[in-house]
Every structure is written in structure tokens, then in C-alpha cells.
Amino acid sequence: MATDPLENFHLSFLKWTLGVNKTTSNAAVWGDCGRYPLGVEHSKMVFSYRDRLEQMDEDNSLCLARHAYREQKNMKMSWYSCLDAVQRNLEQETNRRLPRPSQITSAMKN
């Protein structure tokens, strides 16, 4: 099972809802439920938000979020550097093979 307590609860709940054994394949449970691991869903939201901020920066938007984003990007704040590194790692891994959900969540933690 997952090492993240929230993900562990998520999987346990899905398996309980389906009425399957605890040892049932996690991939099968996610597939049958039409769900993804929470780390994948959260990663999508984070990258979408960053893309919106990038678009605001390109459009020279006057909103405060754009100015804060540009300043933090220029200062190479840890969250931005980490997110940038995760994206580069995923792009390199994707060129070789598709990343596993656990790779995405572990890359987010580093």
C-alpha cells in the first residue's frame, strides 16, 4: 500500500467500497473506480496553476498573483526550483518510459 497516510486511507476506502480484499492490486482498484492516486491529481493541479501563472506573465497581466509569481521565480524560491526540477525529471523519464504515480509523488517530496 501507499506510504502516505492520506493515500493509504484513500485506497482503503476504495477497496472497502468495492468490497475487495486488502491485497487486491492498487492499479486494479484505481482503474475500476476511475480514480488516480491523490498525488497524481494534486500534481496536475499544481502544474496547471503554474501554467496559468506563466500565461499571466506572458500576457503581462496586472494582477498581484503574476507579480508575486515573477518575483519568486526571479528569486529562485525553493518551491519554484523544486517544481521546475520535478518537471524536468518527469520530462526526462517520460522520454524513456511513462512515470509511475509513486515517482511523481516522490519527485514532489524531493
PDB file of all heavy atoms in Angstrom, residues 54-91:
ATOM      1  N   GLU A  54       2.280  31.265 -15.525  1.00  0.00           N
ATOM      2  CA  GLU A  54       3.178  31.521 -16.658  1.00  0.00           C
ATOM      3  C   GLU A  54       2.441  32.285 -17.750  1.00  0.00           C
ATOM      4  O   GLU A  54       2.990  33.204 -18.361  1.00  0.00           O
ATOM      5  CB  GLU A  54       3.729  30.203 -17.225  1.00  0.00           C
ATOM      6  CG  GLU A  54       4.756  29.529 -16.356  1.00  0.00           C
ATOM      7  CD  GLU A  54       6.142  30.155 -16.462  1.00  0.00           C
ATOM      8  OE1 GLU A  54       6.390  30.979 -17.364  1.00  0.00           O
ATOM      9  OE2 GLU A  54       6.973  29.812 -15.607  1.00  0.00           O
ATOM     10  N   GLN A  55       1.192  31.890 -18.009  1.00  0.00           N
ATOM     11  CA  GLN A  55       0.402  32.565 -19.042  1.00  0.00           C
ATOM     12  C   GLN A  55       0.135  34.010 -18.659  1.00  0.00           C
ATOM     13  O   GLN A  55       0.208  34.907 -19.496  1.00  0.00           O
ATOM     14  CB  GLN A  55      -0.921  31.820 -19.279  1.00  0.00           C
ATOM     15  CG  GLN A  55      -1.699  32.333 -20.469  1.00  0.00           C
ATOM     16  CD  GLN A  55      -0.921  32.200 -21.775  1.00  0.00           C
ATOM     17  OE1 GLN A  55      -0.357  31.161 -22.071  1.00  0.00           O
ATOM     18  NE2 GLN A  55      -0.893  33.269 -22.556  1.00  0.00           N
ATOM     19  N   MET A  56      -0.157  34.252 -17.374  1.00  0.00           N
ATOM     20  CA  MET A  56      -0.356  35.626 -16.907  1.00  0.00           C
ATOM     21  C   MET A  56       0.916  36.449 -17.119  1.00  0.00           C
ATOM     22  O   MET A  56       0.852  37.617 -17.499  1.00  0.00           O
ATOM     23  CB  MET A  56      -0.694  35.647 -15.411  1.00  0.00           C
ATOM     24  CG  MET A  56      -2.093  35.301 -15.068  1.00  0.00           C
ATOM     25  SD  MET A  56      -2.285  35.548 -13.285  1.00  0.00           S
ATOM     26  CE  MET A  56      -3.398  34.237 -12.909  1.00  0.00           C
ATOM     27  N   ASP A  57       2.059  35.822 -16.862  1.00  0.00           N
ATOM     28  CA  ASP A  57       3.338  36.514 -17.027  1.00  0.00           C
ATOM     29  C   ASP A  57       3.568  36.862 -18.492  1.00  0.00           C
ATOM     30  O   ASP A  57       4.018  37.959 -18.814  1.00  0.00           O
ATOM     31  CB  ASP A  57       4.469  35.640 -16.479  1.00  0.00           C
ATOM     32  CG  ASP A  57       5.715  36.431 -16.153  1.00  0.00           C
ATOM     33  OD1 ASP A  57       5.599  37.641 -15.874  1.00  0.00           O
ATOM     34  OD2 ASP A  57       6.807  35.831 -16.179  1.00  0.00           O
ATOM     35  N   GLU A  58       3.249  35.933 -19.390  1.00  0.00           N
ATOM     36  CA  GLU A  58       3.420  36.184 -20.827  1.00  0.00           C
ATOM     37  C   GLU A  58       2.469  37.270 -21.320  1.00  0.00           C
ATOM     38  O   GLU A  58       2.817  38.049 -22.202  1.00  0.00           O
ATOM     39  CB  GLU A  58       3.187  34.894 -21.618  1.00  0.00           C
ATOM     40  CG  GLU A  58       4.285  33.873 -21.447  1.00  0.00           C
ATOM     41  CD  GLU A  58       3.971  32.550 -22.125  1.00  0.00           C
ATOM     42  OE1 GLU A  58       3.034  32.514 -22.962  1.00  0.00           O
ATOM     43  OE2 GLU A  58       4.660  31.560 -21.829  1.00  0.00           O
ATOM     44  N   ASP A  59       1.257  37.305 -20.735  1.00  0.00           N
ATOM     45  CA  ASP A  59       0.256  38.292 -21.152  1.00  0.00           C
ATOM     46  C   ASP A  59       0.443  39.642 -20.464  1.00  0.00           C
ATOM     47  O   ASP A  59      -0.328  40.574 -20.706  1.00  0.00           O
ATOM     48  CB  ASP A  59      -1.158  37.776 -20.844  1.00  0.00           C
ATOM     49  CG  ASP A  59      -1.510  36.541 -21.647  1.00  0.00           C
ATOM     50  OD1 ASP A  59      -0.834  36.261 -22.662  1.00  0.00           O
ATOM     51  OD2 ASP A  59      -2.466  35.833 -21.253  1.00  0.00           O
ATOM     52  N   ASN A  60       1.471  39.746 -19.614  1.00  0.00           N
ATOM     53  CA  ASN A  60       1.712  40.970 -18.832  1.00  0.00           C
ATOM     54  C   ASN A  60       0.478  41.417 -18.056  1.00  0.00           C
ATOM     55  O   ASN A  60       0.133  42.591 -18.019  1.00  0.00           O
ATOM     56  CB  ASN A  60       2.214  42.107 -19.723  1.00  0.00           C
ATOM     57  CG  ASN A  60       3.638  41.878 -20.164  1.00  0.00           C
ATOM     58  OD1 ASN A  60       4.457  41.375 -19.414  1.00  0.00           O
ATOM     59  ND2 ASN A  60       3.925  42.236 -21.404  1.00  0.00           N
ATOM     60  N   SER A  61      -0.156  40.451 -17.433  1.00  0.00           N
ATOM     61  CA  SER A  61      -1.325  40.728 -16.614  1.00  0.00           C
ATOM     62  C   SER A  61      -0.935  41.652 -15.462  1.00  0.00           C
ATOM     63  O   SER A  61       0.194  41.645 -14.997  1.00  0.00           O
ATOM     64  CB  SER A  61      -1.877  39.410 -16.064  1.00  0.00           C
ATOM     65  OG  SER A  61      -2.880  39.660 -15.118  1.00  0.00           O
ATOM     66  N   LEU A  62      -1.882  42.460 -15.014  1.00  0.00           N
ATOM     67  CA  LEU A  62      -1.610  43.402 -13.931  1.00  0.00           C
ATOM     68  C   LEU A  62      -1.973  42.833 -12.558  1.00  0.00           C
ATOM     69  O   LEU A  62      -1.856  43.541 -11.558  1.00  0.00           O
ATOM     70  CB  LEU A  62      -2.396  44.700 -14.164  1.00  0.00           C
ATOM     71  CG  LEU A  62      -2.012  45.459 -15.432  1.00  0.00           C
ATOM     72  CD1 LEU A  62      -2.921  46.664 -15.614  1.00  0.00           C
ATOM     73  CD2 LEU A  62      -0.558  45.886 -15.379  1.00  0.00           C
ATOM     74  N   CYS A  63      -2.391  41.578 -12.487  1.00  0.00           N
ATOM     75  CA  CYS A  63      -2.849  41.038 -11.210  1.00  0.00           C
ATOM     76  C   CYS A  63      -1.679  40.786 -10.251  1.00  0.00           C
ATOM     77  O   CYS A  63      -0.532  40.595 -10.652  1.00  0.00           O
ATOM     78  CB  CYS A  63      -3.673  39.774 -11.412  1.00  0.00           C
ATOM     79  SG  CYS A  63      -2.713  38.331 -11.802  1.00  0.00           S
ATOM     80  N   LEU A  64      -1.996  40.807  -8.978  1.00  0.00           N
ATOM     81  CA  LEU A  64      -0.998  40.646  -7.929  1.00  0.00           C
ATOM     82  C   LEU A  64      -0.329  39.276  -7.987  1.00  0.00           C
ATOM     83  O   LEU A  64       0.876  39.161  -7.755  1.00  0.00           O
ATOM     84  CB  LEU A  64      -1.658  40.858  -6.562  1.00  0.00           C
ATOM     85  CG  LEU A  64      -0.750  40.784  -5.349  1.00  0.00           C
ATOM     86  CD1 LEU A  64       0.333  41.843  -5.439  1.00  0.00           C
ATOM     87  CD2 LEU A  64      -1.561  40.953  -4.090  1.00  0.00           C
ATOM     88  N   ALA A  65      -1.096  38.237  -8.335  1.00  0.00           N
ATOM     89  CA  ALA A  65      -0.535  36.880  -8.405  1.00  0.00           C
ATOM     90  C   ALA A  65       0.604  36.815  -9.415  1.00  0.00           C
ATOM     91  O   ALA A  65       1.623  36.161  -9.179  1.00  0.00           O
ATOM     92  CB  ALA A  65      -1.623  35.871  -8.761  1.00  0.00           C
ATOM     93  N   ARG A  66       0.458  37.496 -10.524  1.00  0.00           N
ATOM     94  CA  ARG A  66       1.507  37.495 -11.548  1.00  0.00           C
ATOM     95  C   ARG A  66       2.776  38.157 -11.025  1.00  0.00           C
ATOM     96  O   ARG A  66       3.878  37.662 -11.213  1.00  0.00           O
ATOM     97  CB  ARG A  66       1.027  38.218 -12.796  1.00  0.00           C
ATOM     98  CG  ARG A  66       2.108  38.327 -13.862  1.00  0.00           C
ATOM     99  CD  ARG A  66       2.100  39.691 -14.463  1.00  0.00           C
ATOM    100  NE  ARG A  66       3.268  39.852 -15.323  1.00  0.00           N
ATOM    101  CZ  ARG A  66       3.848  40.997 -15.492  1.00  0.00           C
ATOM    102  NH1 ARG A  66       3.407  42.056 -14.884  1.00  0.00           N
ATOM    103  NH2 ARG A  66       4.890  41.104 -16.272  1.00  0.00           N
ATOM    104  N   HIS A  67       2.619  39.280 -10.331  1.00  0.00           N
ATOM    105  CA  HIS A  67       3.791  39.987  -9.801  1.00  0.00           C
ATOM    106  C   HIS A  67       4.492  39.152  -8.726  1.00  0.00           C
ATOM    107  O   HIS A  67       5.721  39.090  -8.693  1.00  0.00           O
ATOM    108  CB  HIS A  67       3.394  41.356  -9.256  1.00  0.00           C
ATOM    109  CG  HIS A  67       2.954  42.305 -10.322  1.00  0.00           C
ATOM    110  ND1 HIS A  67       3.819  42.855 -11.241  1.00  0.00           N
ATOM    111  CD2 HIS A  67       1.725  42.777 -10.642  1.00  0.00           C
ATOM    112  CE1 HIS A  67       3.163  43.639 -12.062  1.00  0.00           C
ATOM    113  NE2 HIS A  67       1.883  43.606 -11.728  1.00  0.00           N
ATOM    114  N   ALA A  68       3.724  38.523  -7.870  1.00  0.00           N
ATOM    115  CA  ALA A  68       4.304  37.666  -6.826  1.00  0.00           C
ATOM    116  C   ALA A  68       5.017  36.481  -7.462  1.00  0.00           C
ATOM    117  O   ALA A  68       6.123  36.111  -7.051  1.00  0.00           O
ATOM    118  CB  ALA A  68       3.217  37.194  -5.874  1.00  0.00           C
ATOM    119  N   TYR A  69       4.392  35.904  -8.482  1.00  0.00           N
ATOM    120  CA  TYR A  69       4.998  34.764  -9.171  1.00  0.00           C
ATOM    121  C   TYR A  69       6.321  35.159  -9.822  1.00  0.00           C
ATOM    122  O   TYR A  69       7.331  34.472  -9.670  1.00  0.00           O
ATOM    123  CB  TYR A  69       4.024  34.212 -10.214  1.00  0.00           C
ATOM    124  CG  TYR A  69       4.637  33.171 -11.109  1.00  0.00           C
ATOM    125  CD1 TYR A  69       4.910  31.905 -10.613  1.00  0.00           C
ATOM    126  CD2 TYR A  69       4.938  33.444 -12.431  1.00  0.00           C
ATOM    127  CE1 TYR A  69       5.481  30.935 -11.430  1.00  0.00           C
ATOM    128  CE2 TYR A  69       5.501  32.486 -13.247  1.00  0.00           C
ATOM    129  CZ  TYR A  69       5.768  31.234 -12.741  1.00  0.00           C
ATOM    130  OH  TYR A  69       6.326  30.283 -13.544  1.00  0.00           O
ATOM    131  N   ARG A  70       6.320  36.276 -10.524  1.00  0.00           N
ATOM    132  CA  ARG A  70       7.532  36.717 -11.218  1.00  0.00           C
ATOM    133  C   ARG A  70       8.656  36.985 -10.211  1.00  0.00           C
ATOM    134  O   ARG A  70       9.803  36.597 -10.418  1.00  0.00           O
ATOM    135  CB  ARG A  70       7.249  37.970 -12.029  1.00  0.00           C
ATOM    136  CG  ARG A  70       8.526  38.543 -12.647  1.00  0.00           C
ATOM    137  CD  ARG A  70       8.243  39.740 -13.457  1.00  0.00           C
ATOM    138  NE  ARG A  70       8.072  39.263 -14.829  1.00  0.00           N
ATOM    139  CZ  ARG A  70       7.869  40.056 -15.850  1.00  0.00           C
ATOM    140  NH1 ARG A  70       7.760  41.340 -15.668  1.00  0.00           N
ATOM    141  NH2 ARG A  70       7.764  39.571 -17.058  1.00  0.00           N
ATOM    142  N   GLU A  71       8.323  37.627  -9.107  1.00  0.00           N
ATOM    143  CA  GLU A  71       9.333  37.926  -8.092  1.00  0.00           C
ATOM    144  C   GLU A  71       9.913  36.644  -7.495  1.00  0.00           C
ATOM    145  O   GLU A  71      11.124  36.502  -7.351  1.00  0.00           O
ATOM    146  CB  GLU A  71       8.715  38.782  -6.984  1.00  0.00           C
ATOM    147  CG  GLU A  71       9.692  39.189  -5.913  1.00  0.00           C
ATOM    148  CD  GLU A  71       9.056  40.096  -4.891  1.00  0.00           C
ATOM    149  OE1 GLU A  71       8.272  40.982  -5.283  1.00  0.00           O
ATOM    150  OE2 GLU A  71       9.343  39.916  -3.706  1.00  0.00           O
ATOM    151  N   GLN A  72       9.034  35.690  -7.171  1.00  0.00           N
ATOM    152  CA  GLN A  72       9.507  34.434  -6.580  1.00  0.00           C
ATOM    153  C   GLN A  72      10.293  33.600  -7.586  1.00  0.00           C
ATOM    154  O   GLN A  72      11.256  32.932  -7.228  1.00  0.00           O
ATOM    155  CB  GLN A  72       8.330  33.660  -6.016  1.00  0.00           C
ATOM    156  CG  GLN A  72       7.721  34.360  -4.828  1.00  0.00           C
ATOM    157  CD  GLN A  72       6.545  33.618  -4.245  1.00  0.00           C
ATOM    158  OE1 GLN A  72       6.316  32.461  -4.532  1.00  0.00           O
ATOM    159  NE2 GLN A  72       5.793  34.306  -3.405  1.00  0.00           N
ATOM    160  N   LYS A  73       9.898  33.671  -8.837  1.00  0.00           N
ATOM    161  CA  LYS A  73      10.634  32.958  -9.884  1.00  0.00           C
ATOM    162  C   LYS A  73      12.029  33.554 -10.044  1.00  0.00           C
ATOM    163  O   LYS A  73      13.020  32.819 -10.128  1.00  0.00           O
ATOM    164  CB  LYS A  73       9.853  33.050 -11.200  1.00  0.00           C
ATOM    165  CG  LYS A  73      10.497  32.349 -12.359  1.00  0.00           C
ATOM    166  CD  LYS A  73       9.619  32.492 -13.595  1.00  0.00           C
ATOM    167  CE  LYS A  73      10.273  31.936 -14.827  1.00  0.00           C
ATOM    168  NZ  LYS A  73       9.434  32.119 -16.026  1.00  0.00           N
ATOM    169  N   ASN A  74      12.126  34.862 -10.055  1.00  0.00           N
ATOM    170  CA  ASN A  74      13.423  35.531 -10.192  1.00  0.00           C
ATOM    171  C   ASN A  74      14.321  35.283  -8.987  1.00  0.00           C
ATOM    172  O   ASN A  74      15.544  35.227  -9.122  1.00  0.00           O
ATOM    173  CB  ASN A  74      13.238  37.030 -10.418  1.00  0.00           C
ATOM    174  CG  ASN A  74      12.651  37.328 -11.780  1.00  0.00           C
ATOM    175  OD1 ASN A  74      12.724  36.517 -12.693  1.00  0.00           O
ATOM    176  ND2 ASN A  74      12.037  38.484 -11.913  1.00  0.00           N
ATOM    177  N   MET A  75      13.711  35.148  -7.818  1.00  0.00           N
ATOM    178  CA  MET A  75      14.486  34.889  -6.598  1.00  0.00           C
ATOM    179  C   MET A  75      14.840  33.407  -6.456  1.00  0.00           C
ATOM    180  O   MET A  75      15.535  33.030  -5.526  1.00  0.00           O
ATOM    181  CB  MET A  75      13.688  35.340  -5.374  1.00  0.00           C
ATOM    182  CG  MET A  75      13.501  36.840  -5.290  1.00  0.00           C
ATOM    183  SD  MET A  75      12.410  37.329  -3.942  1.00  0.00           S
ATOM    184  CE  MET A  75      13.275  36.697  -2.539  1.00  0.00           C
ATOM    185  N   LYS A  76      14.336  32.591  -7.396  1.00  0.00           N
ATOM    186  CA  LYS A  76      14.555  31.146  -7.371  1.00  0.00           C
ATOM    187  C   LYS A  76      14.161  30.553  -6.020  1.00  0.00           C
ATOM    188  O   LYS A  76      14.931  29.844  -5.374  1.00  0.00           O
ATOM    189  CB  LYS A  76      15.987  30.799  -7.711  1.00  0.00           C
ATOM    190  CG  LYS A  76      16.394  31.282  -9.099  1.00  0.00           C
ATOM    191  CD  LYS A  76      17.573  30.532  -9.619  1.00  0.00           C
ATOM    192  CE  LYS A  76      18.052  31.053 -10.949  1.00  0.00           C
ATOM    193  NZ  LYS A  76      17.127  31.057 -12.015  1.00  0.00           N
ATOM    194  N   MET A  77      12.946  30.898  -5.610  1.00  0.00           N
ATOM    195  CA  MET A  77      12.414  30.386  -4.349  1.00  0.00           C
ATOM    196  C   MET A  77      12.392  28.858  -4.397  1.00  0.00           C
ATOM    197  O   MET A  77      12.288  28.261  -5.472  1.00  0.00           O
ATOM    198  CB  MET A  77      11.002  30.924  -4.102  1.00  0.00           C
ATOM    199  CG  MET A  77      10.919  32.437  -4.010  1.00  0.00           C
ATOM    200  SD  MET A  77      11.608  33.099  -2.507  1.00  0.00           S
ATOM    201  CE  MET A  77      10.335  32.734  -1.369  1.00  0.00           C
ATOM    202  N   SER A  78      12.456  28.230  -3.233  1.00  0.00           N
ATOM    203  CA  SER A  78      12.582  26.773  -3.182  1.00  0.00           C
ATOM    204  C   SER A  78      11.398  26.064  -3.832  1.00  0.00           C
ATOM    205  O   SER A  78      11.577  25.059  -4.520  1.00  0.00           O
ATOM    206  CB  SER A  78      12.753  26.305  -1.746  1.00  0.00           C
ATOM    207  OG  SER A  78      11.624  26.645  -0.972  1.00  0.00           O
ATOM    208  N   TRP A  79      10.167  26.579  -3.644  1.00  0.00           N
ATOM    209  CA  TRP A  79       9.009  25.904  -4.226  1.00  0.00           C
ATOM    210  C   TRP A  79       9.086  25.924  -5.746  1.00  0.00           C
ATOM    211  O   TRP A  79       8.766  24.943  -6.408  1.00  0.00           O
ATOM    212  CB  TRP A  79       7.690  26.522  -3.740  1.00  0.00           C
ATOM    213  CG  TRP A  79       7.399  27.874  -4.328  1.00  0.00           C
ATOM    214  CD1 TRP A  79       7.745  29.079  -3.809  1.00  0.00           C
ATOM    215  CD2 TRP A  79       6.730  28.144  -5.565  1.00  0.00           C
ATOM    216  NE1 TRP A  79       7.336  30.095  -4.639  1.00  0.00           N
ATOM    217  CE2 TRP A  79       6.699  29.549  -5.724  1.00  0.00           C
ATOM    218  CE3 TRP A  79       6.152  27.355  -6.551  1.00  0.00           C
ATOM    219  CZ2 TRP A  79       6.118  30.173  -6.822  1.00  0.00           C
ATOM    220  CZ3 TRP A  79       5.571  27.977  -7.646  1.00  0.00           C
ATOM    221  CH2 TRP A  79       5.555  29.364  -7.771  1.00  0.00           C
ATOM    222  N   TYR A  80       9.546  27.055  -6.302  1.00  0.00           N
ATOM    223  CA  TYR A  80       9.625  27.155  -7.758  1.00  0.00           C
ATOM    224  C   TYR A  80      10.749  26.271  -8.290  1.00  0.00           C
ATOM    225  O   TYR A  80      10.570  25.558  -9.274  1.00  0.00           O
ATOM    226  CB  TYR A  80       9.841  28.602  -8.208  1.00  0.00           C
ATOM    227  CG  TYR A  80       9.901  28.707  -9.710  1.00  0.00           C
ATOM    228  CD1 TYR A  80       8.736  28.732 -10.446  1.00  0.00           C
ATOM    229  CD2 TYR A  80      11.115  28.712 -10.386  1.00  0.00           C
ATOM    230  CE1 TYR A  80       8.773  28.787 -11.826  1.00  0.00           C
ATOM    231  CE2 TYR A  80      11.166  28.764 -11.764  1.00  0.00           C
ATOM    232  CZ  TYR A  80       9.991  28.803 -12.480  1.00  0.00           C
ATOM    233  OH  TYR A  80      10.029  28.835 -13.838  1.00  0.00           O
ATOM    234  N   SER A  81      11.899  26.311  -7.639  1.00  0.00           N
ATOM    235  CA  SER A  81      13.036  25.491  -8.069  1.00  0.00           C
ATOM    236  C   SER A  81      12.685  24.015  -8.003  1.00  0.00           C
ATOM    237  O   SER A  81      13.020  23.244  -8.905  1.00  0.00           O
ATOM    238  CB  SER A  81      14.251  25.768  -7.197  1.00  0.00           C
ATOM    239  OG  SER A  81      14.621  27.118  -7.294  1.00  0.00           O
ATOM    240  N   CYS A  82      11.997  23.622  -6.921  1.00  0.00           N
ATOM    241  CA  CYS A  82      11.596  22.223  -6.756  1.00  0.00           C
ATOM    242  C   CYS A  82      10.625  21.816  -7.856  1.00  0.00           C
ATOM    243  O   CYS A  82      10.771  20.759  -8.464  1.00  0.00           O
ATOM    244  CB  CYS A  82      10.962  22.030  -5.386  1.00  0.00           C
ATOM    245  SG  CYS A  82      10.369  20.358  -5.097  1.00  0.00           S
ATOM    246  N   LEU A  83       9.643  22.656  -8.127  1.00  0.00           N
ATOM    247  CA  LEU A  83       8.649  22.352  -9.153  1.00  0.00           C
ATOM    248  C   LEU A  83       9.295  22.268 -10.525  1.00  0.00           C
ATOM    249  O   LEU A  83       8.966  21.388 -11.322  1.00  0.00           O
ATOM    250  CB  LEU A  83       7.563  23.430  -9.134  1.00  0.00           C
ATOM    251  CG  LEU A  83       6.269  23.140  -9.839  1.00  0.00           C
ATOM    252  CD1 LEU A  83       5.625  21.883  -9.291  1.00  0.00           C
ATOM    253  CD2 LEU A  83       5.327  24.318  -9.699  1.00  0.00           C
ATOM    254  N   ASP A  84      10.228  23.162 -10.783  1.00  0.00           N
ATOM    255  CA  ASP A  84      10.946  23.155 -12.053  1.00  0.00           C
ATOM    256  C   ASP A  84      11.762  21.866 -12.199  1.00  0.00           C
ATOM    257  O   ASP A  84      11.776  21.247 -13.263  1.00  0.00           O
ATOM    258  CB  ASP A  84      11.852  24.377 -12.117  1.00  0.00           C
ATOM    259  CG  ASP A  84      12.114  24.848 -13.525  1.00  0.00           C
ATOM    260  OD1 ASP A  84      11.244  24.651 -14.386  1.00  0.00           O
ATOM    261  OD2 ASP A  84      13.203  25.412 -13.749  1.00  0.00           O
ATOM    262  N   ALA A  85      12.429  21.459 -11.116  1.00  0.00           N
ATOM    263  CA  ALA A  85      13.227  20.228 -11.144  1.00  0.00           C
ATOM    264  C   ALA A  85      12.337  19.001 -11.352  1.00  0.00           C
ATOM    265  O   ALA A  85      12.687  18.086 -12.108  1.00  0.00           O
ATOM    266  CB  ALA A  85      14.019  20.084  -9.855  1.00  0.00           C
ATOM    267  N   VAL A  86      11.186  18.974 -10.710  1.00  0.00           N
ATOM    268  CA  VAL A  86      10.256  17.855 -10.876  1.00  0.00           C
ATOM    269  C   VAL A  86       9.815  17.765 -12.327  1.00  0.00           C
ATOM    270  O   VAL A  86       9.788  16.681 -12.919  1.00  0.00           O
ATOM    271  CB  VAL A  86       9.030  18.002  -9.947  1.00  0.00           C
ATOM    272  CG1 VAL A  86       7.928  17.032 -10.320  1.00  0.00           C
ATOM    273  CG2 VAL A  86       9.439  17.801  -8.498  1.00  0.00           C
ATOM    274  N   GLN A  87       9.479  18.899 -12.922  1.00  0.00           N
ATOM    275  CA  GLN A  87       9.041  18.884 -14.320  1.00  0.00           C
ATOM    276  C   GLN A  87      10.152  18.386 -15.241  1.00  0.00           C
ATOM    277  O   GLN A  87       9.897  17.575 -16.124  1.00  0.00           O
ATOM    278  CB  GLN A  87       8.573  20.260 -14.762  1.00  0.00           C
ATOM    279  CG  GLN A  87       8.027  20.227 -16.181  1.00  0.00           C
ATOM    280  CD  GLN A  87       7.399  21.533 -16.585  1.00  0.00           C
ATOM    281  OE1 GLN A  87       7.507  22.545 -15.889  1.00  0.00           O
ATOM    282  NE2 GLN A  87       6.744  21.536 -17.721  1.00  0.00           N
ATOM    283  N   ARG A  88      11.378  18.843 -15.020  1.00  0.00           N
ATOM    284  CA  ARG A  88      12.493  18.371 -15.851  1.00  0.00           C
ATOM    285  C   ARG A  88      12.700  16.867 -15.691  1.00  0.00           C
ATOM    286  O   ARG A  88      12.889  16.162 -16.680  1.00  0.00           O
ATOM    287  CB  ARG A  88      13.777  19.121 -15.508  1.00  0.00           C
ATOM    288  CG  ARG A  88      13.916  20.412 -16.274  1.00  0.00           C
ATOM    289  CD  ARG A  88      15.238  21.094 -16.020  1.00  0.00           C
ATOM    290  NE  ARG A  88      14.996  21.972 -14.864  1.00  0.00           N
ATOM    291  CZ  ARG A  88      15.689  21.960 -13.726  1.00  0.00           C
ATOM    292  NH1 ARG A  88      16.693  21.186 -13.564  1.00  0.00           N
ATOM    293  NH2 ARG A  88      15.389  22.759 -12.745  1.00  0.00           N
ATOM    294  N   ASN A  89      12.644  16.384 -14.443  1.00  0.00           N
ATOM    295  CA  ASN A  89      12.802  14.946 -14.201  1.00  0.00           C
ATOM    296  C   ASN A  89      11.706  14.145 -14.875  1.00  0.00           C
ATOM    297  O   ASN A  89      11.960  13.098 -15.471  1.00  0.00           O
ATOM    298  CB  ASN A  89      12.816  14.644 -12.701  1.00  0.00           C
ATOM    299  CG  ASN A  89      14.095  15.089 -12.039  1.00  0.00           C
ATOM    300  OD1 ASN A  89      15.111  15.296 -12.701  1.00  0.00           O
ATOM    301  ND2 ASN A  89      14.047  15.251 -10.736  1.00  0.00           N
ATOM    302  N   LEU A  90      10.477  14.629 -14.796  1.00  0.00           N
ATOM    303  CA  LEU A  90       9.366  13.916 -15.422  1.00  0.00           C
ATOM    304  C   LEU A  90       9.500  13.902 -16.940  1.00  0.00           C
ATOM    305  O   LEU A  90       9.190  12.910 -17.588  1.00  0.00           O
ATOM    306  CB  LEU A  90       8.024  14.524 -15.003  1.00  0.00           C
ATOM    307  CG  LEU A  90       7.614  14.288 -13.562  1.00  0.00           C
ATOM    308  CD1 LEU A  90       6.340  15.063 -13.245  1.00  0.00           C
ATOM    309  CD2 LEU A  90       7.419  12.806 -13.292  1.00  0.00           C
ATOM    310  N   GLU A  91       9.954  15.022 -17.498  1.00  0.00           N
ATOM    311  CA  GLU A  91      10.141  15.074 -18.949  1.00  0.00           C
ATOM    312  C   GLU A  91      11.223  14.095 -19.386  1.00  0.00           C
ATOM    313  O   GLU A  91      11.080  13.414 -20.398  1.00  0.00           O
ATOM    314  CB  GLU A  91      10.480  16.491 -19.385  1.00  0.00           C
ATOM    315  CG  GLU A  91       9.298  17.426 -19.336  1.00  0.00           C
ATOM    316  CD  GLU A  91       9.674  18.887 -19.552  1.00  0.00           C
ATOM    317  OE1 GLU A  91      10.886  19.197 -19.639  1.00  0.00           O
ATOM    318  OE2 GLU A  91       8.752  19.712 -19.614  1.00  0.00           O
TER     319      GLU A  91
END
